[in-house]
Amino acid sequence: MRAALASGEFRTVWLAEAQSTLGDQLTTVALALLVYHRTGSALLSAVAYALTFLPALAGGLGLAQLADRYPRRTILVATAAVQAAFVGVMAVPGIPLVLLCVLVVCARLAGAPSNAAQNALTREIFTDDELYLRSQDIRGITTNTAMLLGLAGGGLLVTAAGTSWALAIDAATFAISALALHRWVVARPAADGGQGSWFGAIRWVAGQPKLRILLGFSWLVGLAVIPEGLVAPLAREIGAPDQAVGWLLAADPLGFVVGVFLLSRYVSAEARKRALGVLAIVPTAVLLVFSVRPGLVVALVALAAAGAAGAYIVTVGASFITWVPNELRGGAGGLYRTGLRVAQGVGVAIGGVLAQLLGSATTAIVIAGAAGVVLGIPLAVSWARLQRTSSETATAI
């Protein structure tokens, strides 16, 4: 990882993303608390929370293509500056709730192209596969850690300083990011020269078997995250205290951070690609442990292990971006990220429905684990065949 961090450009992109992620968690907590305190409605508070995710889904496919049609540094600077402005207005004390919700949607919609631009720009910074994968490892560890720290400390900061100050801090993180990106990231021309067709990246990806398999691997995450939506009933079923809900929620992302570090430290990029088929099945296979109604300790270990195994998704994302031509990486990255987000949302919703129908969170989790194994096996077989064909072709050449 030190080799990746030696790049000043990457350090700028990485730190800008990290501080913006921390700020976003503050906004999420502040918004939920502000809406609840003003209305007293848990439903409206939940709706406000959901608004922070919807724009990224809605704009992920369309707006991500801006990262190909315009210079990527420009996209990052512009989106950060626009988000700083929107969140800054949100920080004004006494702002009407309806306007606040509109600004949340606008701010997140403005940020929709930024992740696609970050992924594509990082690949331009690192032309070496190994270094690029290490850079994605660093981003994965940092993003998950920042989310944990932001959510854990967000409630304390919002309570102590107030929602307006929390939102002002988030606006400041975006403003700082915009300035840093403009100052220390090299200006590059638009990847497609402004000549690319709208949604051309999606059509190109659809015609690539190996990219379709990688998308399938990423969608399996939708089954692996089902326990996160069921932690409250799960804690009750296994006889754990109420405070264990937070521990159960933290187990998966903590395990993910450890898993990414171990893979990055001890496994080469090529070895990780070869093993993707097996690695993609493990997170859901671990969930089968819940068939024996484990106690709290075993449940925490199982969720942490599933999170650690879920580190395979970093390799999936890096391989996907690597195998897409530079002029299509923005749009293709938007497709990948939107599919991943939709799979997670749908997975959590399905888990809730199953738990309600069956009257058991553990049973719903076991079904999710079994479904992940069943769906993952044909993907793993297809991936192995693809790897073998690629190897034979390379040998023949």
Side-chain angles (χ1 to χ4, degrees):
M1 292 187 184
R2 286 194 298 271
L5 288 172
S7 167
E9 272 195 287
F10 172 67
R11 287 199 306 273
T12 302
V13 174
W14 166 55
L15 291 173
E17 180 183 29
Q19 69 167 4
S20 294
T21 300
L22 276 169
D24 276 347
Q25 306 317 305
L26 288 180
T27 294
T28 298
V29 174
L31 182 65
L33 290 176
L34 183 60
V35 172
Y36 184 70
H37 287 160
R38 288 198 193 177
T39 66
S41 170
L43 174 60
L44 290 177
S45 180
V47 170
Y49 180 81
L51 288 176
T52 63
F53 293 96
L54 292 178
L57 298 180
L61 290 177
L63 295 181
Q65 294 171 88
L66 295 174
D68 295 326
R69 300 175 71 87
Y70 298 95
R72 286 158 183 163
R73 186 189 73 166
T74 301
I75 292 292
L76 291 176
V77 172
T79 54
V82 171
Q83 285 177 287
F86 281 133
V87 178
V89 176
M90 289 168 59
V92 175
I95 185 171
L97 282 181
V98 174
L99 179 56
L100 184 69
C101 291
V102 171
L103 288 169
V104 167
V105 173
C106 291
R108 294 300 169 93
L109 196 59
S114 62
N115 186 269
Q118 285 168 343
N119 287 332
L121 178 61
T122 306
R123 184 57 191 175
E124 287 186 291
I125 293 172
F126 296 113
T127 57
D128 179 78
D129 288 356
E130 195 81 33
L131 275 179
Y132 174 63
L133 182 54
R134 302 307 176 202
S135 74
Q136 299 308 98
D137 290 336
I138 294 169
R139 287 182 65 198
I141 289 174
T142 306
T143 300
N144 278 269
T145 303
M147 290 177 67
L148 281 171
L149 293 176
L151 290 173
L156 294 175
L157 181 58
V158 172
T159 302
T163 54
S164 291
W165 276 108
L167 291 169
I169 291 172
D170 187 21
T173 64
F174 282 118
I176 293 170
S177 295
L179 292 171
L181 290 164
H182 180 74
R183 174 66 179 82
W184 286 300
V185 173
V186 175
R188 296 175 175 85
D192 68 359
Q195 303 300 314
S197 63
W198 211 253
F199 296 111
I202 297 175
R203 291 193 295 270
W204 189 86
V205 169
Q208 304 298 313
K210 61 183 177 183
L211 296 184
R212 294 200 301 268
I213 296 173
L214 289 175
L215 286 175
F217 284 149
S218 71
W219 295 343
L220 289 177
V221 172
L223 294 169
V225 300
I226 282 179
E228 293 183 24
L230 300 174
V231 288
L234 174 62
R236 185 173 61 250
E237 285 183 29
I238 63 178
D242 289 342
Q243 58 264 37
V245 170
W247 306 341
L248 291 167
L249 274 174
D252 184 280
L254 285 174
F256 180 85
V257 169
V258 173
V260 173
F261 174 78
L262 292 176
L263 282 178
S264 185
R265 178 69 179 82
Y266 296 108
V267 186
S268 69
E270 193 57 38
R272 288 161 69 170
K273 289 177 185 177
R274 287 197 303 269
L276 268 182
V278 175
L279 294 175
I281 296 174
V282 175
T284 49
V286 173
L287 299 183
L288 297 176
V289 169
F290 286 91
S291 61
V292 298
R293 293 288 181 101
L296 177 59
V297 174
V298 175
L300 288 170
V301 171
L303 291 177
Y312 82 90
I313 198 66
V314 175
T315 307
V316 172
S319 300
F320 186 90
I321 292 297
T322 294
W323 289 334
V324 174
N326 185 46
E327 65 272 15
L328 298 175
R329 282 177 182 155
L335 170 66
Y336 174 84
R337 185 172 176 80
T338 300
L340 183 61
R341 288 290 187 89
V342 170
Q344 290 172 317
V346 171
V348 170
I350 290 175
V353 171
L354 283 175
Q356 182 68 30
L357 292 175
L358 301 173
S360 171
T362 52
T363 302
I365 292 171
V366 171
I367 291 174
V373 173
V374 171
L375 294 174
I377 288 175
L379 285 172
V381 171
S382 298
W383 183 254
R385 288 174 178 168
L386 187 66
Q387 294 290 297
R388 185 166 57 251
T389 301
S390 299
S391 178
E392 290 173 353
T393 301
T395 302
I397 294 175

